[in-house]
Amino acid sequence: MFAGLPELGISNGEDLKETLTNCTEPLKAIDQFQMENGILLPTLQSALPFLDLHGTPRLEFHQSVFDELREKLMERVAIIAEGKDEDRYRKLEELLEKSFPLVKMPSIQPVVMQVLKHLPKVPEKKLKMVMADKELYKVCAVEVKRQIWQDNQALFGDEVSPLLKQYIVEKEAALFSSDLSILHNFFSPSPKTRRQGEVVLKLTQMIGKNVKLYDMVLQFLRTLFLRTRNVHYCTLRAELLMSLHDLDISEICSVDPCHKFTWCLDACIREKFVDGKRARELQGFLDGVKKGQEQVLGDLSMILCDPFACNTLVLSIMRNLQELLSQDALPRDSPDLMLLLRMLSLGQGAWDMIDSQVFKEPRWDLEVVTRFLPAMMSVVVDDHTFTVEQKLPSEEKSSMSYPTTLPDSFNRYLQENRVASEMGLYYVLHIAKLRNKNALQRLLPALVDTYNDMAFGDIFLHLLTGHLTLLSDEFGSEEFCSVVFDGFLLTSFSSKENVHRHTLRMLLHLHHKVLPSYMERLMKTLEPPKQCSEPLKELYSQLTEKLEAQKKSPPPPDETPSLDLGLHPVTVPTTTSTPTTPL
């Protein structure tokens, strides 16, 4: 406990023991020991008997003085370190030399740690001693650990690895959340809110202003992305850079070539739209990649592969297509659309680029614009034509029925092209949002065969199940259930456990809307196999319990939702100029 005191010429318990063993008058020896090792203040000696009269033990007095002096010394260390004195670090190093032998002494350890914390470059010998001692390493400040980590990648990896695992677990938990809503889904939190997550904040603190540690974390993220193809590592790459941006860490932001691009894209993600001005900014960054610096495309592609970036790009593409349709313009004539497709393609090709180490933008198939998008627009036109037809007076109606097949080029590109497949999936979400049952029944079966089974990925299924809650009343129809379940979800649930889980998640919310006879069949089909995960078993048992409870007490009939929006009535003066045509 008192190791290190003899090195500094200070007596410890062993010295007292030896003195008492060899002396003839123990009381005199104790007095002498107290005199030599007590507080060397002459005026104090006459005051100490007063403490004895008050029954205050000498230990308590010395301990309180010691605590007070320690606090003052720690404050002084901080003041010296923050001062302008050119000699400040030499003073701290001298103090470290004197105090380090006592680093294992609990009462002195905080002082030593405070000195280490404020030294921008701790002597290597001391760093090695801290690193070799698990207890010292555990209690030293993150400022000291950074100096250890920057030359010990394996040790830093051990510290970072549990955080990266935690991050992925949190993202996957959000995708399998029990909440099923179009308003509160995976993409609802703003970028700033996401950056307040525990993992991002901890990593930001661990990195501080250290460029070397930042580069190590980016290398870990690239390696894990390559190993697992998990796109959430791309999200973390962007979030980490923007978290450092929020803290104004210019030492790192100024040397990351992706900083301004990520900052601009972050603003687009916040708005869930890439406007014309920002589109031109982003294009400037992509076009500005100089010869010899192509490697930056690997990082830019990773940032564009972030699901939040992809979501923003595809939503912007959908909005762009709607505008083109209203203007009778062709997709190939829109520079904004071409740029959005270019960025989507770069993001989708991130894994291939980093894996092959060939840093050039992927050549995307121009026929996506000249063949696939017109085919998708023809589906929109079919739907619009049918809707207009239904509104005509009966004598003007033709005998046309709603189309059930899709253009061959639409199906082919869904299967063969990942950019086309991504747009096709978001178009399905768009029509679900519009509660367009006919178009949904026409399109869902086509999703069984998409590029790389994209339609059975967690992000799309998370969004689709949320969007389908808008069509909850349609689940009372066997035809609609047959399209959603038999025609799509049940085609792969037995080979893909995630599809099984998303199907059960949706049924937990919509089971009371599904035709009872169909629900009974579904429960038999969806019974989990013996070899399956706990979350799947848990979901199935929750659904079973809900159905049992429903049998005992049927739910009350749905009430017509009130149209009262809780707005205060406002009196509007009526004049002859007030327009009456609804917008």
Side-chain angles (χ1 to χ4, degrees), residues 510-534:
L510 299 174
H511 62 89
H512 59 287
K513 297 283 189 180
V514 179
L515 213 62
S517 57
Y518 195 88
M519 191 68 214
E520 206 173 307
R521 266 189 8 239
L522 274 177
M523 288 304 284
K524 285 177 186 168
T525 309
L526 292 168
E527 189 172 349
K530 284 177 184 174
Q531 299 295 319
C532 74
S533 68
E534 280 306 312

PDB file of all heavy atoms in Angstrom, residues 510-534:
ATOM      1  N   LEU A 510     -51.689  -6.658 -37.102  1.00  0.00           N
ATOM      2  CA  LEU A 510     -52.842  -6.710 -38.019  1.00  0.00           C
ATOM      3  C   LEU A 510     -53.670  -7.992 -37.915  1.00  0.00           C
ATOM      4  O   LEU A 510     -54.594  -8.175 -38.690  1.00  0.00           O
ATOM      5  CB  LEU A 510     -52.336  -6.565 -39.466  1.00  0.00           C
ATOM      6  CG  LEU A 510     -51.603  -5.256 -39.813  1.00  0.00           C
ATOM      7  CD1 LEU A 510     -51.048  -5.330 -41.231  1.00  0.00           C
ATOM      8  CD2 LEU A 510     -52.544  -4.065 -39.703  1.00  0.00           C
ATOM      9  N   HIS A 511     -53.325  -8.869 -36.955  1.00  0.00           N
ATOM     10  CA  HIS A 511     -54.000 -10.191 -36.904  1.00  0.00           C
ATOM     11  C   HIS A 511     -55.524 -10.074 -36.829  1.00  0.00           C
ATOM     12  O   HIS A 511     -56.253 -10.868 -37.415  1.00  0.00           O
ATOM     13  CB  HIS A 511     -53.481 -11.006 -35.715  1.00  0.00           C
ATOM     14  CG  HIS A 511     -53.746 -10.380 -34.387  1.00  0.00           C
ATOM     15  ND1 HIS A 511     -54.897 -10.595 -33.675  1.00  0.00           N
ATOM     16  CD2 HIS A 511     -53.006  -9.510 -33.655  1.00  0.00           C
ATOM     17  CE1 HIS A 511     -54.855  -9.888 -32.561  1.00  0.00           C
ATOM     18  NE2 HIS A 511     -53.714  -9.221 -32.518  1.00  0.00           N
ATOM     19  N   HIS A 512     -56.033  -9.061 -36.115  1.00  0.00           N
ATOM     20  CA  HIS A 512     -57.493  -8.921 -35.942  1.00  0.00           C
ATOM     21  C   HIS A 512     -58.180  -8.453 -37.225  1.00  0.00           C
ATOM     22  O   HIS A 512     -59.409  -8.499 -37.331  1.00  0.00           O
ATOM     23  CB  HIS A 512     -57.804  -7.944 -34.801  1.00  0.00           C
ATOM     24  CG  HIS A 512     -57.246  -6.583 -35.002  1.00  0.00           C
ATOM     25  ND1 HIS A 512     -55.896  -6.319 -34.879  1.00  0.00           N
ATOM     26  CD2 HIS A 512     -57.834  -5.404 -35.355  1.00  0.00           C
ATOM     27  CE1 HIS A 512     -55.675  -5.036 -35.140  1.00  0.00           C
ATOM     28  NE2 HIS A 512     -56.829  -4.460 -35.427  1.00  0.00           N
ATOM     29  N   LYS A 513     -57.370  -8.002 -38.216  1.00  0.00           N
ATOM     30  CA  LYS A 513     -57.942  -7.560 -39.493  1.00  0.00           C
ATOM     31  C   LYS A 513     -57.970  -8.693 -40.522  1.00  0.00           C
ATOM     32  O   LYS A 513     -58.697  -8.631 -41.508  1.00  0.00           O
ATOM     33  CB  LYS A 513     -57.093  -6.409 -40.075  1.00  0.00           C
ATOM     34  CG  LYS A 513     -57.066  -5.147 -39.222  1.00  0.00           C
ATOM     35  CD  LYS A 513     -58.342  -4.358 -39.380  1.00  0.00           C
ATOM     36  CE  LYS A 513     -58.250  -2.997 -38.714  1.00  0.00           C
ATOM     37  NZ  LYS A 513     -59.491  -2.240 -38.872  1.00  0.00           N
ATOM     38  N   VAL A 514     -57.128  -9.715 -40.277  1.00  0.00           N
ATOM     39  CA  VAL A 514     -57.011 -10.816 -41.245  1.00  0.00           C
ATOM     40  C   VAL A 514     -58.207 -11.754 -41.105  1.00  0.00           C
ATOM     41  O   VAL A 514     -58.672 -12.046 -39.993  1.00  0.00           O
ATOM     42  CB  VAL A 514     -55.688 -11.597 -41.027  1.00  0.00           C
ATOM     43  CG1 VAL A 514     -55.563 -12.758 -42.006  1.00  0.00           C
ATOM     44  CG2 VAL A 514     -54.493 -10.656 -41.166  1.00  0.00           C
ATOM     45  N   LEU A 515     -58.691 -12.232 -42.246  1.00  0.00           N
ATOM     46  CA  LEU A 515     -59.803 -13.187 -42.284  1.00  0.00           C
ATOM     47  C   LEU A 515     -59.489 -14.367 -41.354  1.00  0.00           C
ATOM     48  O   LEU A 515     -58.420 -14.984 -41.489  1.00  0.00           O
ATOM     49  CB  LEU A 515     -59.931 -13.682 -43.728  1.00  0.00           C
ATOM     50  CG  LEU A 515     -61.305 -14.022 -44.267  1.00  0.00           C
ATOM     51  CD1 LEU A 515     -62.211 -12.796 -44.254  1.00  0.00           C
ATOM     52  CD2 LEU A 515     -61.176 -14.569 -45.687  1.00  0.00           C
ATOM     53  N   PRO A 516     -60.358 -14.702 -40.371  1.00  0.00           N
ATOM     54  CA  PRO A 516     -60.025 -15.754 -39.380  1.00  0.00           C
ATOM     55  C   PRO A 516     -59.570 -17.076 -39.997  1.00  0.00           C
ATOM     56  O   PRO A 516     -58.614 -17.687 -39.535  1.00  0.00           O
ATOM     57  CB  PRO A 516     -61.324 -15.920 -38.588  1.00  0.00           C
ATOM     58  CG  PRO A 516     -62.002 -14.586 -38.730  1.00  0.00           C
ATOM     59  CD  PRO A 516     -61.652 -14.079 -40.087  1.00  0.00           C
ATOM     60  N   SER A 517     -60.274 -17.533 -41.065  1.00  0.00           N
ATOM     61  CA  SER A 517     -59.902 -18.814 -41.679  1.00  0.00           C
ATOM     62  C   SER A 517     -58.487 -18.737 -42.278  1.00  0.00           C
ATOM     63  O   SER A 517     -57.698 -19.675 -42.186  1.00  0.00           O
ATOM     64  CB  SER A 517     -60.910 -19.191 -42.772  1.00  0.00           C
ATOM     65  OG  SER A 517     -60.970 -18.147 -43.739  1.00  0.00           O
ATOM     66  N   TYR A 518     -58.164 -17.573 -42.851  1.00  0.00           N
ATOM     67  CA  TYR A 518     -56.836 -17.390 -43.448  1.00  0.00           C
ATOM     68  C   TYR A 518     -55.783 -17.299 -42.347  1.00  0.00           C
ATOM     69  O   TYR A 518     -54.680 -17.832 -42.482  1.00  0.00           O
ATOM     70  CB  TYR A 518     -56.832 -16.112 -44.307  1.00  0.00           C
ATOM     71  CG  TYR A 518     -55.652 -16.039 -45.240  1.00  0.00           C
ATOM     72  CD1 TYR A 518     -55.706 -16.604 -46.510  1.00  0.00           C
ATOM     73  CD2 TYR A 518     -54.461 -15.424 -44.848  1.00  0.00           C
ATOM     74  CE1 TYR A 518     -54.611 -16.549 -47.365  1.00  0.00           C
ATOM     75  CE2 TYR A 518     -53.362 -15.370 -45.689  1.00  0.00           C
ATOM     76  CZ  TYR A 518     -53.447 -15.937 -46.949  1.00  0.00           C
ATOM     77  OH  TYR A 518     -52.358 -15.897 -47.786  1.00  0.00           O
ATOM     78  N   MET A 519     -56.164 -16.643 -41.238  1.00  0.00           N
ATOM     79  CA  MET A 519     -55.229 -16.486 -40.109  1.00  0.00           C
ATOM     80  C   MET A 519     -54.861 -17.851 -39.532  1.00  0.00           C
ATOM     81  O   MET A 519     -53.707 -18.103 -39.172  1.00  0.00           O
ATOM     82  CB  MET A 519     -55.881 -15.603 -39.043  1.00  0.00           C
ATOM     83  CG  MET A 519     -54.949 -15.152 -37.950  1.00  0.00           C
ATOM     84  SD  MET A 519     -53.712 -13.999 -38.550  1.00  0.00           S
ATOM     85  CE  MET A 519     -52.330 -14.457 -37.539  1.00  0.00           C
ATOM     86  N   GLU A 520     -55.842 -18.720 -39.476  1.00  0.00           N
ATOM     87  CA  GLU A 520     -55.609 -20.071 -38.941  1.00  0.00           C
ATOM     88  C   GLU A 520     -54.580 -20.810 -39.803  1.00  0.00           C
ATOM     89  O   GLU A 520     -53.659 -21.456 -39.301  1.00  0.00           O
ATOM     90  CB  GLU A 520     -56.948 -20.835 -38.937  1.00  0.00           C
ATOM     91  CG  GLU A 520     -56.996 -21.931 -37.892  1.00  0.00           C
ATOM     92  CD  GLU A 520     -58.393 -22.535 -37.815  1.00  0.00           C
ATOM     93  OE1 GLU A 520     -59.382 -21.779 -37.640  1.00  0.00           O
ATOM     94  OE2 GLU A 520     -58.482 -23.756 -37.958  1.00  0.00           O
ATOM     95  N   ARG A 521     -54.739 -20.676 -41.131  1.00  0.00           N
ATOM     96  CA  ARG A 521     -53.780 -21.305 -42.062  1.00  0.00           C
ATOM     97  C   ARG A 521     -52.383 -20.711 -41.888  1.00  0.00           C
ATOM     98  O   ARG A 521     -51.378 -21.415 -41.896  1.00  0.00           O
ATOM     99  CB  ARG A 521     -54.255 -21.081 -43.502  1.00  0.00           C
ATOM    100  CG  ARG A 521     -55.071 -22.221 -44.016  1.00  0.00           C
ATOM    101  CD  ARG A 521     -55.425 -22.239 -45.468  1.00  0.00           C
ATOM    102  NE  ARG A 521     -54.845 -21.277 -46.363  1.00  0.00           N
ATOM    103  CZ  ARG A 521     -55.573 -20.417 -47.084  1.00  0.00           C
ATOM    104  NH1 ARG A 521     -56.891 -20.381 -46.928  1.00  0.00           N
ATOM    105  NH2 ARG A 521     -54.994 -19.591 -47.931  1.00  0.00           N
ATOM    106  N   LEU A 522     -52.351 -19.390 -41.730  1.00  0.00           N
ATOM    107  CA  LEU A 522     -51.060 -18.708 -41.577  1.00  0.00           C
ATOM    108  C   LEU A 522     -50.319 -19.198 -40.331  1.00  0.00           C
ATOM    109  O   LEU A 522     -49.112 -19.405 -40.365  1.00  0.00           O
ATOM    110  CB  LEU A 522     -51.267 -17.192 -41.456  1.00  0.00           C
ATOM    111  CG  LEU A 522     -51.369 -16.379 -42.754  1.00  0.00           C
ATOM    112  CD1 LEU A 522     -51.641 -14.921 -42.433  1.00  0.00           C
ATOM    113  CD2 LEU A 522     -50.091 -16.487 -43.576  1.00  0.00           C
ATOM    114  N   MET A 523     -51.063 -19.366 -39.230  1.00  0.00           N
ATOM    115  CA  MET A 523     -50.431 -19.790 -37.978  1.00  0.00           C
ATOM    116  C   MET A 523     -49.793 -21.170 -38.114  1.00  0.00           C
ATOM    117  O   MET A 523     -48.722 -21.430 -37.565  1.00  0.00           O
ATOM    118  CB  MET A 523     -51.442 -19.774 -36.825  1.00  0.00           C
ATOM    119  CG  MET A 523     -51.837 -18.384 -36.363  1.00  0.00           C
ATOM    120  SD  MET A 523     -50.420 -17.368 -35.872  1.00  0.00           S
ATOM    121  CE  MET A 523     -50.029 -18.052 -34.274  1.00  0.00           C
ATOM    122  N   LYS A 524     -50.435 -22.049 -38.866  1.00  0.00           N
ATOM    123  CA  LYS A 524     -49.859 -23.389 -39.087  1.00  0.00           C
ATOM    124  C   LYS A 524     -48.586 -23.274 -39.931  1.00  0.00           C
ATOM    125  O   LYS A 524     -47.558 -23.904 -39.651  1.00  0.00           O
ATOM    126  CB  LYS A 524     -50.877 -24.299 -39.793  1.00  0.00           C
ATOM    127  CG  LYS A 524     -51.986 -24.794 -38.863  1.00  0.00           C
ATOM    128  CD  LYS A 524     -53.002 -25.625 -39.620  1.00  0.00           C
ATOM    129  CE  LYS A 524     -54.170 -25.987 -38.706  1.00  0.00           C
ATOM    130  NZ  LYS A 524     -55.314 -26.541 -39.472  1.00  0.00           N
ATOM    131  N   THR A 525     -48.669 -22.430 -40.964  1.00  0.00           N
ATOM    132  CA  THR A 525     -47.525 -22.270 -41.869  1.00  0.00           C
ATOM    133  C   THR A 525     -46.346 -21.614 -41.160  1.00  0.00           C
ATOM    134  O   THR A 525     -45.182 -21.977 -41.390  1.00  0.00           O
ATOM    135  CB  THR A 525     -47.932 -21.399 -43.081  1.00  0.00           C
ATOM    136  OG1 THR A 525     -49.128 -21.926 -43.643  1.00  0.00           O
ATOM    137  CG2 THR A 525     -46.842 -21.366 -44.137  1.00  0.00           C
ATOM    138  N   LEU A 526     -46.645 -20.631 -40.308  1.00  0.00           N
ATOM    139  CA  LEU A 526     -45.586 -19.830 -39.696  1.00  0.00           C
ATOM    140  C   LEU A 526     -45.030 -20.403 -38.388  1.00  0.00           C
ATOM    141  O   LEU A 526     -44.202 -19.762 -37.738  1.00  0.00           O
ATOM    142  CB  LEU A 526     -46.094 -18.393 -39.430  1.00  0.00           C
ATOM    143  CG  LEU A 526     -46.373 -17.549 -40.678  1.00  0.00           C
ATOM    144  CD1 LEU A 526     -47.122 -16.290 -40.312  1.00  0.00           C
ATOM    145  CD2 LEU A 526     -45.079 -17.206 -41.409  1.00  0.00           C
ATOM    146  N   GLU A 527     -45.485 -21.591 -38.020  1.00  0.00           N
ATOM    147  CA  GLU A 527     -44.959 -22.191 -36.783  1.00  0.00           C
ATOM    148  C   GLU A 527     -43.443 -22.371 -36.916  1.00  0.00           C
ATOM    149  O   GLU A 527     -42.956 -22.920 -37.904  1.00  0.00           O
ATOM    150  CB  GLU A 527     -45.628 -23.543 -36.526  1.00  0.00           C
ATOM    151  CG  GLU A 527     -45.276 -24.084 -35.168  1.00  0.00           C
ATOM    152  CD  GLU A 527     -46.078 -25.339 -34.815  1.00  0.00           C
ATOM    153  OE1 GLU A 527     -47.051 -25.661 -35.526  1.00  0.00           O
ATOM    154  OE2 GLU A 527     -45.709 -25.976 -33.835  1.00  0.00           O
ATOM    155  N   PRO A 528     -42.672 -21.864 -35.928  1.00  0.00           N
ATOM    156  CA  PRO A 528     -41.203 -21.904 -36.075  1.00  0.00           C
ATOM    157  C   PRO A 528     -40.658 -23.327 -36.094  1.00  0.00           C
ATOM    158  O   PRO A 528     -41.177 -24.205 -35.397  1.00  0.00           O
ATOM    159  CB  PRO A 528     -40.693 -21.168 -34.814  1.00  0.00           C
ATOM    160  CG  PRO A 528     -41.866 -20.442 -34.267  1.00  0.00           C
ATOM    161  CD  PRO A 528     -43.078 -21.230 -34.668  1.00  0.00           C
ATOM    162  N   PRO A 529     -39.604 -23.560 -36.891  1.00  0.00           N
ATOM    163  CA  PRO A 529     -38.964 -24.887 -36.878  1.00  0.00           C
ATOM    164  C   PRO A 529     -38.228 -25.078 -35.555  1.00  0.00           C
ATOM    165  O   PRO A 529     -38.005 -24.129 -34.807  1.00  0.00           O
ATOM    166  CB  PRO A 529     -37.980 -24.803 -38.052  1.00  0.00           C
ATOM    167  CG  PRO A 529     -37.718 -23.340 -38.238  1.00  0.00           C
ATOM    168  CD  PRO A 529     -38.946 -22.612 -37.807  1.00  0.00           C
ATOM    169  N   LYS A 530     -37.830 -26.316 -35.272  1.00  0.00           N
ATOM    170  CA  LYS A 530     -37.133 -26.596 -33.998  1.00  0.00           C
ATOM    171  C   LYS A 530     -35.827 -25.805 -33.896  1.00  0.00           C
ATOM    172  O   LYS A 530     -35.487 -25.279 -32.849  1.00  0.00           O
ATOM    173  CB  LYS A 530     -36.863 -28.098 -33.868  1.00  0.00           C
ATOM    174  CG  LYS A 530     -38.119 -28.879 -33.508  1.00  0.00           C
ATOM    175  CD  LYS A 530     -37.874 -30.354 -33.443  1.00  0.00           C
ATOM    176  CE  LYS A 530     -39.183 -31.102 -33.168  1.00  0.00           C
ATOM    177  NZ  LYS A 530     -39.029 -32.556 -33.228  1.00  0.00           N
ATOM    178  N   GLN A 531     -35.098 -25.754 -35.006  1.00  0.00           N
ATOM    179  CA  GLN A 531     -33.829 -25.016 -35.015  1.00  0.00           C
ATOM    180  C   GLN A 531     -34.086 -23.573 -35.457  1.00  0.00           C
ATOM    181  O   GLN A 531     -34.064 -23.270 -36.635  1.00  0.00           O
ATOM    182  CB  GLN A 531     -32.836 -25.677 -35.988  1.00  0.00           C
ATOM    183  CG  GLN A 531     -32.466 -27.104 -35.638  1.00  0.00           C
ATOM    184  CD  GLN A 531     -31.695 -27.202 -34.328  1.00  0.00           C
ATOM    185  OE1 GLN A 531     -30.833 -26.386 -34.057  1.00  0.00           O
ATOM    186  NE2 GLN A 531     -32.025 -28.191 -33.506  1.00  0.00           N
ATOM    187  N   CYS A 532     -34.388 -22.716 -34.510  1.00  0.00           N
ATOM    188  CA  CYS A 532     -34.597 -21.306 -34.873  1.00  0.00           C
ATOM    189  C   CYS A 532     -34.177 -20.426 -33.698  1.00  0.00           C
ATOM    190  O   CYS A 532     -33.959 -20.908 -32.582  1.00  0.00           O
ATOM    191  CB  CYS A 532     -36.043 -21.040 -35.264  1.00  0.00           C
ATOM    192  SG  CYS A 532     -37.176 -20.999 -33.868  1.00  0.00           S
ATOM    193  N   SER A 533     -34.098 -19.135 -33.935  1.00  0.00           N
ATOM    194  CA  SER A 533     -33.620 -18.210 -32.896  1.00  0.00           C
ATOM    195  C   SER A 533     -34.698 -17.935 -31.854  1.00  0.00           C
ATOM    196  O   SER A 533     -35.897 -18.105 -32.113  1.00  0.00           O
ATOM    197  CB  SER A 533     -33.183 -16.889 -33.534  1.00  0.00           C
ATOM    198  OG  SER A 533     -34.317 -16.217 -34.045  1.00  0.00           O
ATOM    199  N   GLU A 534     -34.267 -17.469 -30.700  1.00  0.00           N
ATOM    200  CA  GLU A 534     -35.197 -17.129 -29.617  1.00  0.00           C
ATOM    201  C   GLU A 534     -36.169 -16.014 -30.007  1.00  0.00           C
ATOM    202  O   GLU A 534     -37.359 -16.094 -29.713  1.00  0.00           O
ATOM    203  CB  GLU A 534     -34.426 -16.745 -28.344  1.00  0.00           C
ATOM    204  CG  GLU A 534     -33.915 -17.929 -27.543  1.00  0.00           C
ATOM    205  CD  GLU A 534     -35.005 -18.945 -27.186  1.00  0.00           C
ATOM    206  OE1 GLU A 534     -36.076 -18.529 -26.705  1.00  0.00           O
ATOM    207  OE2 GLU A 534     -34.789 -20.143 -27.411  1.00  0.00           O
TER     208      GLU A 534
END
